[in-house]
Amino acid sequence: MLETERLVLPPRGPLDLPLCALELGCTGRWELLSPPQVSDPPAGTLSHGLPPCAPELQGETEQLFLSSPEWLPLHGVERVAWKWQRKTDPWSLLGLPGAPVPSDLQAQRHPTTGRVLGYREVLLEDTNLSATTSLSLRRPPGPPSQALWGNPTHYPFWPGGMDEPTIADLSTCGDSEEEIDFEKDLLTIPPGFKKGVDFTPKKHSAPAPGLLSLSHLLEPLELGGGEEEEEEETSGRLGGPGGDSGTTSTSEPPLVRASSLEDLVLKEASAPMPPPEPPKPPVLEQWAIPVDITSPVGDFYRLIPQPAFQWPFEPDVFQKQAILHLERHDSVFVAAHTSAGKTVVAEYAIALAQKHMTRTIYTSPIKALSNQKFRDFRNTFGDVGLLTGDVQLHPEASCLIMTTEILRSMLYSGSDVIRDLEWVIFDEVHYINDAERGVVWEEVLIMLPDHVSIILLSATVPNALEFADWIGRLKRRHLYVISTAARPVPLEHFLFTGNSPKTQGELFLLLDSRGVFHTKGYYAAVEAKKERTSKHAQTFGAKQPMHQGGPGQDRGIYLSLLASLRSRAQLPVVVFTFSRGRCDEQASGLSSLDLTTGSEKSEIHLFLQRCLARLRGSDRQLPQVLHMSELLHRGLGVHHSGILPILKEIVEMLFSRGLVKVLFATETFAMGVNMPARTVVFDSMRKHDGATFRDLLPGEYVQMAGRAGRRGLDPTGTVILLCKGRVPEMADLHRMMLGKPSQLQSQFRLTYTMILNLLRVDALRVEDMMKRSFSEFPSRKDSKAHEQTLAELTKRLGDLEEPDTSGQLVDLPEYYSWGEELTETRGLIQRRIMESVNGLKSLSVGRVVVVKNQEHRNALGVILQVSSDTTNRVFTTLILCEKRPLEGPLPGSSSSLHVPYPDDLVGHKLFLPEGPCDHTVAKLQPGDITAITAKMLRVNGERILEDFSKRQQPRFKKDPPSPAVTSAVQEMLRLAQAHPAGPPALDPVNDLQLKEVSVVEGGLRARKLEELIRGAQCVHSPRFPAQYLRLRERAQIQKEMERLRFLLSDQSLLLLPEYHQRVEILRTLGYVDGAGTVKLAGRVACAMSSHELLLTELMFDNALSALRPEEIAALLSGLVCQSPGDPGDQLPSTLKQGIERVKDVARRIGEVQVSCGLNQTVEEFVGELHFGLVEVVYEWARGMPFSELAGLSGTPEGLIVRCIQRLAEMCRSLRGAARLVGEPVLGAKMEAAATMLRRDIVFAASLYTQ
């Protein structure tokens, strides 16, 4: 056997070991593995090899159940149900979510280089905030899916300008805690005791006027009291007039010597009280700051060396001023004429936000304007998004364009877009005057957070400063008002009276480019019209009417006018006609007019083909599409709300290119987008505003006339007013062309959505929203001054001494209140007399009356003349008075120190002159006459007035009065002496036949008060005058304080009664509970954009769940359709029953509103529903082509499209509400309904977004 030789090998190094490294997961851990002995496939990289491969589930199922059915036991339940025993783990119940991190590390950097020097731990506040519990911007953002639109259950961010409560305020004032003032609220009387202990230090105060301090009189006398009395006497002597203390000796008056105590008291009572110090005038806050734009901005480029945006032209002065304030992050209000360049300010704000990496929101009043601005800004900036009811493009962009309603919804829902917001641009702010939608602007302005700056763009308005002052006070920040009346292209206004080719030159200048009104041109137009009328009368008879207003005559007028404008190269022209039907008629009547060349026709044709290619075949053959294409080929266009949206956009784009020469449009074309023309023509100066026909307002005329004149192309713009009938009155033309535009007025009103959105947030109150509205601004702008005055009055009241009501003066407070009530009751009766016919008849010439006003107190007068103005009647009266001194006021006219005794209060204690008697003539208002006596004097009023006016001249001032004056004065003096309490007055019930309940009850109450006043005991006290003056001063201060508190409180809000009524309606319907907490139905109503109560009631009554999607859409069209109409008899029975059920629900809501006192009848509430398009929407949802819908209704195509678009938005809001409630079936049906509606030409994409 051979021995094997052992080989000695060198030891292995680290790199020669048979190991491999395996990374475990993503945590960075590694594990060393030894390779197997046998080489395996690449699966060796796993620690335990490849995972087992499960057989295919489908094959296993077929083998077990389908191939061998006998394997399935019929009754062996224990083998059929497989289960796994779960191990119990009680400790899992004790798991709690981790607490938020209470601190954070903050880097400390070098102030110059920015190098990190170290770190320090800082405590974090508000770490437990969320979107459902806090309004703070420090709360964490919500999920990304809700970052844009927010969530109806989220809280809004804290509105700017409101005082946000701090954490300390909220923690110190709990619900169960009570604030106690340890200086004023401590009790001093123990339970069961009648008196307590007065711990206040005793101080000797100076005696008040009218009250003699007996303790001070007896103070120097040594009565041999105890030690305490001796100390008090010693201190009294030291502080008396003869003491050594200089401080108290100067404050106490010297004792007055008198023969009796009664004389001394009466002298003290008659001493006049020192007048109170006048309060300091409050500091006026100025939040609206007007900016001077008359001088050029020479240092513009020095202040802004690197502007955020540059234009190919030099900005105007007002634009530069606005840009300077934007760079300082100020809020601005730019008011300028149409086409003046307000968009430059908006463009710079967008560029500035992009430079700062923040966001801007541009709001517009209408959706069409949003689309146009999206196209313009996207071409300029690129990073621009659009949010409308049915379109959402680039929501992550730095500049978002939307309507104001969408911004309001984002604010209420707590959208996280608001966090990054730097600017909100409000275009066409004068749209706040819209009665239906103006409230949206006020809500948005109130709800915007404090870090957002505001840019307001508006046409010229007269109260821009007032509106800006409201926003400044609202947000507690300055608002700079930049207003310019200059036009980049001056306008010339003409009257056109022609109606044929022979008279096409009858164009008369009425208002030139300098703003001068030419009356010569007006009279020339009148003469031209008269001459044609006379020729017409000679030919056809004098009784032939001047103007029938038919299409034939309109055609002749427009043909002659357009021929004249074409010859003078004044095309393109916009013709404003205030009727959709007349727009179509006038455009169709010009069938022989062709204003385009061959190349222009080719360009129009190609553009139409490219735009209409996105429509389906049948939609391209719609009658309106074919008719509009034929008009556009000839250079004519029509633009109003009845036109399909895509056709309106085609017309706008062709007009901006100069291919549409004549455009017949309604007033909406003049809003917003800059599409100027060479000439503007007004078909008429009268319009129907929904209620009646009226002349155009100056603001409306200026807005539309401002479309005339293209900047950089035309030296002047031409505005022409057609005189189809007679020439309008010169005063009407002057008022329309040169009058002041309409002021910005508040249209704030309470809506259920607003109330519910604010009630669900504990920190916000509806009363605060009402306080900050523009309607409450006139009464709330002086709140700071009222608070200051109230504080001063409170201090002044605390310094006054309490009146003494002991002894005989025990009924002094009642005596004062009886006198005040008697004066108020008599004033009420006198007002009713002056408002009655018999009362005014009794105030004829010669009637003796009692006059009481600031100059006269219960003085007799005789009426000399009565004005003929029934609305503001004035009585010229001869009145008795004291002899007037050479200079100064009438003696005795001041009644501030007058103390009324029963004779003064019960009767009219007449004024009797103490010295020589004089007279005066005054014009009295009805409120100056306090009593109508039964006495009549025979006077010559004209002669007395003539004599009195003559003696007012300096040269006749010393002449004696005429005998007529002397006799009247002597007769009144004799009456005053014979009846010191006043002559017998006319009884309002017996003499004047006033049978009103308030007058009769007032007379009875006055007699009762007179009896109480006569029996008062306080008037017999010698201290009555002094104590009465003291009591009256306190009462007047308290009355003024009550008035100021009322003005500062919620009770003075104009809409507060309506708010309580609407809250009671919500409580009755179950939307809020008794404590004001919003319940589930209220949260659902918050998600609705309109008709929130009706939609919520329909949902909770299951009125929609049983219907098909197309039927639901058809019924809901009655809530969004704006044109009234009959639903027709061809509807299915399901829809007829549905309409009646919707009306029943609406009627039930209306009855609840009436029972709660809301000023809207049931018929008015139900009348807001219009079911005229139910059949149209029903067939559209079922798939009928749009071309066949025209025969179902006479409604214009544009209104049908608008109705279906709004209906799709409502279906989406209902879908969200159904998900909130937990109704998946209804949510799926609403989703299906919205899908059925969104098709074809109705939802064709806007040309501006392509």
Side-chain angles (χ1 to χ4, degrees), residues 1017-1062:
Q1017 298 297 320
C1018 58
V1019 295
H1020 303 298
S1021 172
R1023 296 176 296 153
F1024 167 72
Q1027 299 304 318
Y1028 183 88
L1029 292 176
R1030 183 177 295 176
L1031 177 65
R1032 184 171 65 183
E1033 184 180 6
R1034 292 185 63 88
Q1036 290 175 351
I1037 293 177
Q1038 290 172 348
K1039 184 177 181 181
E1040 179 65 14
M1041 291 173 62
E1042 290 178 2
R1043 186 186 72 86
L1044 294 176
R1045 288 195 185 101
F1046 174 76
L1047 292 177
L1048 294 172
S1049 67
D1050 298 338
Q1051 304 303 317
S1052 63
L1053 295 172
L1054 299 176
L1055 295 177
L1056 188 66
E1058 182 185 349
Y1059 166 63
H1060 291 316
Q1061 293 167 359
R1062 291 186 181 271

Side-chain angles (χ1 to χ4, degrees), residues 76-305:
V77 182
E78 67 282 354
R79 294 186 59 190
V80 174
W82 293 88
K83 62 180 180 179
W84 289 265
Q85 187 67 29
R86 184 178 65 86
K87 296 181 180 180
T88 59
D89 185 12
W91 294 100
S92 63
L93 301 176
L94 303 178
L96 294 176
V101 180
S103 62
D104 193 10
L105 292 179
Q106 189 176 46
Q108 293 178 318
R109 297 180 180 272
H110 193 277
T112 305
T113 63
R115 186 169 58 89
V116 177
L117 302 178
Y119 298 90
R120 66 186 180 93
E121 186 177 8
V122 293
L123 295 179
L124 298 179
E125 296 181 358
D126 307 332
T127 56
N128 56 346
L129 301 182
S130 67
T132 56
T133 59
S134 172
L135 291 85
S136 174
L137 284 166
R138 295 189 294 268
R139 73 193 191 197
S145 60
Q146 300 176 358
L148 180 64
W149 297 103
N151 193 302
T153 61
H154 287 179
Y155 280 13
F157 293 107
W158 190 267
M162 294 187 185
D163 296 328
E164 185 172 359
T166 62
I167 300 299
D169 297 336
L170 297 177
S171 60
T172 54
C173 298
D175 294 336
S176 59
E177 297 180 6
E178 182 180 359
E179 296 183 1
I180 300 176
D181 189 347
F182 287 93
E183 295 182 359
K184 299 179 181 179
D185 295 344
L186 294 179
L187 302 178
T188 59
I189 303 177
F193 284 67
K194 295 183 179 180
K195 285 188 176 183
V197 181
D198 186 8
F199 295 99
T200 58
K202 295 180 173 58
K203 294 182 180 179
H204 292 291
S205 58
L211 179 62
L212 187 64
S213 178
L214 295 179
S215 62
H216 277 265
L217 287 175
L218 300 176
E219 211 170 22
L221 301 179
E222 296 182 3
L223 301 178
E227 296 180 359
E228 295 180 359
E229 294 179 359
E230 291 179 2
E231 293 176 1
E232 291 178 2
E233 289 170 6
T234 305
S235 62
R237 284 194 296 271
L238 290 176
D244 297 333
S245 175
T247 56
T248 54
S249 63
T250 57
S251 61
E252 293 185 1
L255 294 177
V256 181
R257 301 290 181 181
S259 59
S260 66
L261 183 62
E262 184 177 357
D263 294 340
L264 187 59
V265 170
L266 294 179
K267 288 181 180 179
E268 287 285 332
S270 61
M273 296 177 63
E277 295 182 2
K280 298 179 181 179
V283 180
L284 297 179
E285 297 176 311
Q286 184 180 6
W287 297 102
I289 302 177
V291 178
D292 182 20
I293 61 170
T294 56
S295 57
V297 187
D299 56 349
F300 177 74
Y301 292 103
R302 182 183 64 81
L303 296 174
I304 311 178

Side-chain angles (χ1 to χ4, degrees), residues 19 84 683 755:
L19 298 174
W84 289 265
D683 181 74
I755 294 174

Side-chain angles (χ1 to χ4, degrees), residues 614-665:
R614 64 188 65 220
L615 302 179
R616 60 181 296 181
S618 59
D619 292 340
R620 298 177 200 163
Q621 303 302 318
L622 288 173
Q624 192 178 93
V625 174
L626 298 177
H627 178 61
M628 187 66 71
S629 300
E630 190 269 335
L631 289 177
L632 291 174
H633 279 88
R634 293 189 287 113
L636 304 179
V638 180
H639 189 285
H640 56 74
S641 59
I643 303 297
L644 292 170
I646 190 171
L647 292 182
K648 286 199 295 185
E649 294 179 350
I650 290 173
V651 170
E652 292 166 2
M653 291 183 174
L654 290 177
F655 183 81
S656 62
R657 295 185 181 186
L659 299 176
V660 173
K661 311 298 182 181
V662 179
L663 178 63
F664 293 91

